Amino acid sequence: LVLVPALTMATSLAGAFGLVSLVARLTPINTVTPSLMMSILIAMAFDYALFLLTRFCEELHLRAELRAAAPSLPGQPSSLPPAPYVPPAPAADVRVAVEEMLATAGMTVSVSGLTLLGCFGAVIAFPITILSSLGIGCAIALATTILVNLTLLPAILCAAPAFFAAAAAPAGGCCVRLDKRELHHAGPLNVAPSTSTAAPGGAAQKLSADGNEADGRGGGGGQRAITE
């Protein structure tokens, strides 16, 4: 799964710089534009890809939990609630996970990307050549990144469903989440009771290290042992 963001980033780089080279024949592009394009491509390509893949792994783990919770014996009591539908094959799990990934994380990526595209589009309208060229380059880079992550990444996942289902398994260490059920095995948290008490008449009393209580009323008070 780690290679998928690298592949999407390389594809985005090739597509964005190819489009900018065509645009440069029509309008001047400042020399600073490629550097800023590279920064945006590396940041957004990895960010969007990892965000989508995290959602993909979570959906696969959910499908695996549903499969494990489904009753497998024919003689189940009728009082039990019906088990949710679980596809019978890992390939079906991957397809469902990709659909859920695009419906949830894909929508977030689209809204985020379109917001940034609107900002870069506003920069294009500036009557300054360096700013307009930066807006053109960044808008092309961001649009290419969004399209690649929403089209190429799901296609790669669906091309080898068995491979990616095994790669996203919890035993492989990918996207392993701490379940609340695991916290119960740690046992209750032991908290030591407070050792400070208040003496009658408002005088403070403190417990010494050997378990004795020292009277805080002044000079000549003796010590008395405290028994549990």
Side-chain angles (χ1 to χ4, degrees), residues 64-109:
E65 292 175 1
L66 293 177
R67 185 188 301 280
S72 57
L73 297 178
Q76 290 290 336
S78 59
S79 60
L80 292 178
Y85 170 73
V86 180
D93 286 347
V94 170
R95 286 193 295 269
V96 173
V98 169
E99 292 176 1
E100 292 295 328
M101 175 192 73
L102 292 177
T104 55
M107 180 61 68
T108 305
V109 169

Side-chain angles (χ1 to χ4, degrees), residues 29-65:
I29 298 296
N30 193 272
T31 56
V32 185
T33 303
S35 301
L36 187 58
M37 287 179 58
M38 179 69 72
S39 302
I40 291 178
L41 278 168
I42 293 175
M44 303 311 295
F46 273 103
D47 182 43
Y48 288 160
L50 292 178
F51 183 63
L52 292 170
L53 289 175
T54 301
R55 184 66 184 90
F56 173 74
C57 290
E58 290 178 354
E59 187 63 28
L60 277 185
H61 296 167
L62 177 62
R63 305 299 296 180
E65 292 175 1

Side-chain angles (χ1 to χ4, degrees), residues 1 26 29 40 52 65 92 95 97 118 122 156 174 186 195 199 223:
L1 286 177
L26 304 176
I29 298 296
I40 291 178
L52 292 170
E65 292 175 1
R95 286 193 295 269
I156 294 175
C174 172
T195 58
Q223 296 182 350

